[in-house]
Amino acid sequence: MATAVNPEFDALLQKGDLIEDPSEMTADYLKELKHTLIVSGDTELISAPAYYLAARRAPSINAFMTGIAIIQDELAHAHIAYHILEELGEDQEKLIFSREPKSFRYPYAFDVPLESWTELVIANAFYDQAGFCLLGDIHEHCSYGPWKRGLNKVMAEENFHLRNGRTWMKRISQAGGAAKDELQAAVNWMFPLTVEWFGLPDNLKMHSTQLDYRLKGKTNDELRQWWLSLVVPYCESVGVKVPARQEGEGWVLEYPFPCEFDAEAKRWDFSEQISWDDVLKRWRSRGPRNEEMVALFQEQFHRFRAQHPLDA
Ligand SMILES: [Fe+2]
Ligand SMILES: [Fe+2]
């Protein structure tokens, strides 16, 4: 259990009760809750420009509108997290509009450009499925009442996003020919990127304060296994190959994990295993699209503010 400074708080937490107000929290719990909310808010927010840049290549107006509906959902999800952060004393406007691109805390996968409708729908089937697993776990176990309730809406919508991804993957696979080849080629780089999303394996990850505070319930490996158990059978059922298979109760990867990724070429090097330090280094230096995506929502805001100063 993390540092106990407030026996009443520990008793609340151990009983499985929900925390409803900052006055009930310890400083350490507040810090961990804020960190978890920032990762969630940033991930939801950055998915909007990432998806928008690909949705522009939709094959029809109907498909484009579905893409826009998903983007609208993601912005609302981000707002839920940032709004709670504001109630916890953070400045929502500063968090969104005044941070350096590299300081946003979202998974590396979004920094690799989604450049076609095919890549967007795989992101729906893989990335939104990862979001569904991570947020579903938080929704079930979260000790902070306002966030737990806010996630009801988020879960229903993430389910719609991943269904959209699955339906389109199946449609493209059934079309066969070049469309199916393009689908398989995109899965080849996007599948390992999502496997990596869940972070350090349990044998390397030090003690998790998030688990102590019931800000999550499953470990990184448990979440990764859950994702694999949903994604691998679906891909196989629609004729898409993925480098993983079931062994007993669990799922095993058929490539060295983790391994080197060339973001510009969108290609993995399966010839050898690298260290997690190497992966963390790649994550920290961010990928090709980080600055462009952050500029997409920050630049317009600052132009508008320059023309309409608040104290004018
Ligand atoms: Fe979302
Ligand atoms: Fe989503």
Side-chain angles (χ1 to χ4, degrees):
M1 184 52 71
T3 343
V5 284
N6 183 337
E8 263 175 61
F9 173 80
D10 277 356
L12 261 181
L13 211 58
Q14 273 164 16
K15 239 171 47 188
D17 279 1
L18 292 178
I19 314 294
E20 293 291 344
D21 191 87
S23 64
E24 297 168 300
M25 299 171 190
T26 60
D28 201 36
Y29 176 89
L30 177 63
K31 187 173 141 235
E32 207 58 44
L33 173 62
K34 280 185 181 177
H35 171 73
T36 314
L37 280 161
I38 284 176
V39 173
S40 178
D42 287 358
T43 305
E44 301 282 11
L45 178 66
I46 215 68
S47 68
Y51 289 178
Y52 173 70
L53 292 166
R56 294 185 305 180
R57 313 226 168 140
S60 68
I61 290 290
N62 275 355
F64 178 70
M65 292 313 290
T66 306
I68 294 299
I70 291 173
I71 290 162
Q72 186 181 328
D73 288 344
E74 303 300 13
L75 291 172
H77 299 171
H79 181 69
I80 289 172
Y82 293 132
H83 178 74
I84 296 174
L85 279 159
E86 184 136 300
E87 288 180 332
L88 296 173
E90 292 295 316
D91 183 332
Q92 182 170 186
E93 196 174 290
K94 273 201 189 125
L95 283 175
I96 300 170
F97 298 111
S98 302
R99 270 189 297 160
E100 289 297 315
K102 278 196 167 63
S103 65
F104 281 80
R105 298 275 171 263
Y106 59 82
Y108 174 82
F110 282 116
D111 277 343
V112 185
L114 299 170
E115 293 171 298
S116 64
W117 181 253
T118 298
E119 290 182 347
L120 174 58
V121 298
I122 299 169
N124 284 155
F126 289 3
Y127 301 176
D128 289 84
Q129 181 71 74
F132 184 90
C133 292
L134 286 155
L135 293 172
D137 176 54
I138 296 174
H139 182 228
E140 190 184 341
H141 296 100
C142 186
S143 55
Y144 188 51
W147 197 17
K148 190 181 177 82
R149 290 186 290 274
L151 285 173
N152 285 337
K153 164 190 161 72
V154 178
M155 292 310 294
E157 290 171 351
E158 291 305 344
N159 194 37
F160 156 59
H161 304 170
L162 74 92
R163 297 282 148 199
N164 180 62
R166 286 184 167 207
T167 308
W168 271 97
M169 278 184 73
K170 187 175 181 181
R171 191 176 294 161
I172 295 169
S173 183
Q174 283 171 348
K180 186 172 179 184
D181 293 344
E182 189 201 342
L183 178 75
Q184 184 64 59
V187 164
N188 291 350
W189 70 264
M190 295 176 75
F191 180 87
L193 210 52
T194 332
V195 170
E196 212 185 48
W197 184 306
F198 298 94
L200 258 65
D202 294 351
N203 63 341
L204 293 182
K205 173 115 202 239
M206 343 106 265
H207 166 84
S208 167
T209 319
Q210 285 176 319
L211 281 169
D212 285 347
Y213 283 151
R214 285 196 288 112
L215 293 170
K216 64 189 271 191
K218 288 184 166 60
T219 66
N220 290 358
D221 280 342
E222 286 168 348
L223 288 162
R224 190 168 10 243
Q225 284 288 315
W226 184 18
W227 182 86
L228 287 166
S229 76
L230 297 167
V231 167
V232 178
Y234 185 76
C235 286
E236 283 169 355
S237 77
V238 296
V240 170
K241 292 191 201 77
V242 284
R245 65 173 188 281
Q246 187 164 20
E247 244 181 47
E249 295 289 292
W251 297 82
V252 293
L253 299 171
E254 294 168 337
Y255 60 93
F257 177 67
C259 57
E260 190 79 42
F261 180 59
D262 179 341
E264 301 294 338
K266 295 182 169 174
R267 201 171 42 230
W268 292 90
D269 179 359
F270 284 173
S271 66
E272 60 174 345
Q273 190 169 355
I274 60 169
S275 75
W276 274 95
D277 281 343
D278 295 330
V279 178
L280 293 174
K281 213 166 104 197
R282 163 160 53 81
W283 286 0
R284 274 188 214 112
S285 52
R286 303 259 44 146
R289 212 169 229 179
N290 168 246
E291 285 184 23
E292 181 189 356
M293 290 190 298
V294 173
L296 213 57
F297 55 82
Q298 286 190 343
E299 275 179 4
Q300 190 69 19
F301 174 83
H302 289 294
R303 246 195 315 272
F304 181 84
R305 263 298 146 79
Q307 288 159 2
H308 307 274
L310 274 179
D311 52 358

